[in-house]
Amino acid sequence: MRGPGGGTPLRRLVVLRHAKSAWPDGVPDHERPLAPRGRRDAPAAGRALAETGCVPDLALCSTAVRARRTWELAAAEWDTPPPVRFDPRLYGADVPEILDVVHETPADVETLLLVGHNPGLEELVLDLAGDGLDDALDEVRLKFPTSAVAVLAWYGPDWRALTPGTALLTSMTVPRGEKPHPRKS
């Protein structure tokens, strides 16, 4: 989709916080796996993105196990998952570090998925959003929980043009998977 007058394309940055992780004893933070709830919620996030037409052209994902697994489970819900780049710079990154990675995105990518961690992702959404639809900004300010999905839209010739205050936060959702039903004996 092109901007007013057919100029620059509409771009979307889809920000997905990794699903709920476990805290096993003796496991380094980078290696923490998803918790059972995370294994339910990550596919729900993938389904939600498909239902809203936000399947990305490219995904950038932290190298942490919980982020990689979130990506795998979400992408498995799509007919044709996009290419993914696992970038160690996204693990524990702050806003300037995240933007450095995002700014390297090729100009032909119109929808980019970013899978990573808080507090960096929450701060990124709040920094980039000059405005938001409905109460999306208030929701992010209140909490950006595990499996949260924020969609930022903006017009720009390339990803280097994405700077603080230039995007519109079009939605913020927290997809949740269904809990297994107890078996009746």
Side-chain angles (χ1 to χ4, degrees):
M1 178 181 285
R2 295 281 169 186
T8 57
L10 173 67
R11 298 185 185 278
R12 293 182 301 181
L13 176 62
V14 181
V15 179
L16 170 59
R17 183 175 173 202
H18 68 77
K20 182 73 174 171
S21 59
W23 294 83
D25 286 338
V27 174
D29 184 73
H30 189 272
E31 305 306 313
R32 288 179 24 227
L34 291 181
R37 187 179 95 196
R39 292 192 300 271
R40 291 190 308 268
D41 292 348
R47 287 190 298 276
L49 290 172
E51 289 165 5
T52 58
C54 279
V55 174
D57 303 314
L58 174 69
L60 301 175
C61 184
S62 162
T63 56
V65 169
R66 60 193 178 274
R68 292 175 70 103
R69 190 68 180 131
T70 298
W71 156 252
E72 292 165 0
L73 292 170
E77 297 295 317
W78 307 327
D79 292 335
T80 307
V84 60
R85 294 183 186 161
F86 297 102
D87 195 315
R89 296 174 294 171
L90 294 173
Y91 175 68
D94 61 15
V95 172
E97 292 167 324
I98 296 169
L99 278 175
D100 284 347
V101 176
V102 169
H103 287 162
E104 295 171 4
T105 302
D108 63 336
V109 172
E110 292 186 0
T111 300
L112 176 67
L113 173 66
L114 185 60
V115 184
H117 313 270
N118 261 4
L121 292 185
E122 179 178 331
E123 292 167 358
L124 177 75
V125 171
L126 293 173
D127 279 3
L128 293 176
D131 201 359
L133 297 180
D134 302 322
D135 58 352
L137 269 172
D138 290 336
E139 290 179 36
V140 174
R141 284 185 192 110
L142 181 64
K143 187 174 186 184
F144 197 66
T146 55
S147 299
V149 178
V151 179
L152 295 147
W154 60 287
Y155 290 100
D158 60 38
W159 288 91
R160 291 183 306 275
L162 179 59
T163 57
T166 59
L168 174 68
L169 180 60
T170 61
S171 68
M172 198 295 250
T173 57
V174 185
R176 295 291 186 220
E178 291 189 29
K179 291 182 182 179
H181 299 290
R183 292 184 179 196
K184 294 181 182 178
S185 42

